Amino acid sequence: DWLLPKIPDDISYERGSLACCGLGPSYGAFELMGLVAGQTVLITGLGPVGLGAIVNARARGAKVIAVESFPWRVDRALQMGAAAVLHPRDPSNVSRIKELSKGLGVDCALDCSGTVAGQRLCIDAARRKGKVAFVGECHDELAIRISPDMIRKGLTLIGSWHYNLAHFNGIMQVIRTSPLIDLLVSHTMPMRDVEEAFRLQASGECGKVILRPWGE
């Protein structure tokens, strides 16, 4: 328990929980990539972590291009201010992303899908000397072409899990001030409805689902 920071008094338990697997992975990745206002970021996969990445990116003033197939999550991403949401099976995604980023490609790319296709799109759509981070768990093999991907393009590839505890106050400030937090959490349920919560999560028709163990 000595490792756990205390949730500030002005932040509820529900919102404080978003610092874990809601906002945490992308917050840490954006810190490592140095995402700043005015840049364009690609986010592949819009589950709760990907939608949380939109919250963090918009809090930094970045333009968001996203990739997702579930209609509910596509709509939610657009509500959150994503400039465009592309379908993962569209073969023209790389060219479309470049059109949306002044022909250069994105400054930063974040894979939240945990798929080789999502990871590959991040690499292909990043600009020269761009930065790519992976936070979606994946045990399949990604083929990286050293010359075109790394040497000639000059990419920086980053693996990131969550965020450093030194950034705790920063992520709390996002929770405290972002107008998109209520759009990230789509459902709150009592713990007794855990099976329904898992079915809902698997359906793709939701954002972050919060279970309340202490009551209704």
Side-chain angles (χ1 to χ4, degrees), residues 45-118:
L46 296 181
V49 170
L51 291 172
I54 296 178
V55 175
N56 279 319
R58 298 298 295 144
R60 290 167 180 259
K63 175 182 177 180
V64 174
I65 301 169
V67 177
E68 176 57 52
S69 60
F70 285 109
W72 191 98
R73 289 172 173 169
V74 171
D75 290 342
R76 185 53 58 100
L78 294 172
Q79 291 177 47
M80 289 175 144
V85 183
L86 312 179
H87 195 283
R89 293 190 181 90
D90 188 337
S92 67
N93 276 341
V94 173
S95 60
R96 292 187 65 194
I97 291 167
K98 288 185 177 179
E99 288 173 4
L100 292 164
S101 53
K102 301 179 181 179
L104 300 174
V106 295
D107 302 288
C108 298
L110 178 68
D111 178 64
C112 303
S113 71
T115 67
V116 170

Side-chain angles (χ1 to χ4, degrees), residues 121-141:
L121 181 59
C122 285
I123 291 172
D124 292 339
R127 64 182 297 169
R128 290 186 70 251
K129 296 189 177 180
K131 297 179 181 179
V132 176
F134 304 128
V135 300
E137 296 281 0
C138 180
H139 299 286
D140 297 325
E141 293 186 7

